[in-house]
Amino acid sequence: MKRLFLILSCVVLSLLNFSCVEDNDLTGSLDLTIDSNTYHMPVANFIFANDVTNVVGTNVSQTVTVNVKGNTVRQYVIGYGRDFAELSANHPFGDEFNQEANLEFVSTIDAREEFVAVCGVLTMSEYSSDSIAATFSGKMLTKSMAMSLINGNATPEAVQNQLRNFSGQFVAVP
């Protein structure tokens, strides 16, 4: 009897594990760390249109949006430079400045928080019609401070102390 119970338990656990893997394959996921706070988005989807890959990860209360110009496996610059030094060298950002990728985070828990990546890199490691995978890191600002920087109302040096580190990864499905 104990042997039968052990066999049935193993079968049930195997089925549960298999179903969890299928759910992740169907929904994708995205993780974002801002300074020391990590946010998990159990759903991440992508669409490719007009030569732009749009990824949206959400957990209902928080959303991360990533836009990448293209659909190839390579490294993309997020925002206005790979790092703060390159961002500073590119400032002011004229109308001709063309971003390769951007990333935004919105949280509606308690007071609404919005952050925009202003510099960093995104490394696309997989891109197919079934799923895409990438890692990313860089620096971000609150949306209002980022808009001041982008519109030329603030200099990189003026916002340097307000920069926040971010990093993360995603696997997105169509």
Side-chain angles (χ1 to χ4, degrees):
M1 188 68 166
K2 287 182 182 180
R3 182 177 240 169
L4 180 61
F5 180 74
L6 180 63
I7 291 172
L8 286 174
S9 296
C10 289
V11 169
V12 168
L13 288 174
S14 296
L15 289 174
L16 287 173
N17 186 36
F18 181 72
S19 69
C20 291
V21 170
E22 283 182 2
D23 288 345
N24 193 35
D25 289 345
L26 295 174
T27 63
S29 68
L30 187 148
D31 294 308
L32 171 67
T33 300
I34 301 173
D35 292 331
S36 61
N37 298 319
T38 299
Y39 306 95
H40 176 67
M41 314 296 153
V43 176
N45 300 105
F46 80 94
I47 186 169
F48 180 73
N50 301 322
D51 201 34
V52 176
T53 300
N54 297 297
V55 177
V56 176
T58 188
N59 64 11
V60 181
S61 299
Q62 294 146 333
T63 302
V64 175
T65 305
V66 180
N67 299 310
V68 179
K69 289 191 178 174
N71 63 347
T72 58
V73 173
R74 70 177 184 88
Q75 190 174 78
Y76 296 86
V77 175
I78 298 173
Y80 299 92
R82 294 181 185 283
D83 53 29
F84 184 75
E86 193 172 309
L87 176 145
S88 295
N90 289 329
H91 192 266
F93 319 117
D95 292 336
E96 70 282 350
F97 192 90
N98 197 4
Q99 293 181 327
E100 287 187 328
N102 61 46
L103 183 145
E104 293 188 25
F105 171 73
V106 176
S107 178
T108 57
I109 296 175
D110 299 326
R112 184 178 178 95
E113 289 185 297
E114 296 182 63
F115 292 96
V116 175
V118 292
C119 62
V121 293
L122 179 141
T123 304
M124 192 75 68
S125 58
E126 175 187 331
Y127 202 113
S128 72
S129 60
D130 296 329
S131 70
I132 60 176
T135 59
F136 50 84
S137 64
K139 303 218 180 269
M140 60 183 9
L141 291 166
T142 62
K143 187 166 188 170
S144 62
M145 189 57 62
M147 295 313 296
S148 290
L149 178 67
I150 293 164
N151 294 329
N153 298 327
T155 65
E157 293 74 25
V159 301
Q160 186 172 9
N161 291 336
Q162 297 177 41
L163 289 169
R164 309 221 9 219
N165 294 315
F166 73 89
S167 63
Q169 58 82 35
F170 64 79
V171 174
V173 296

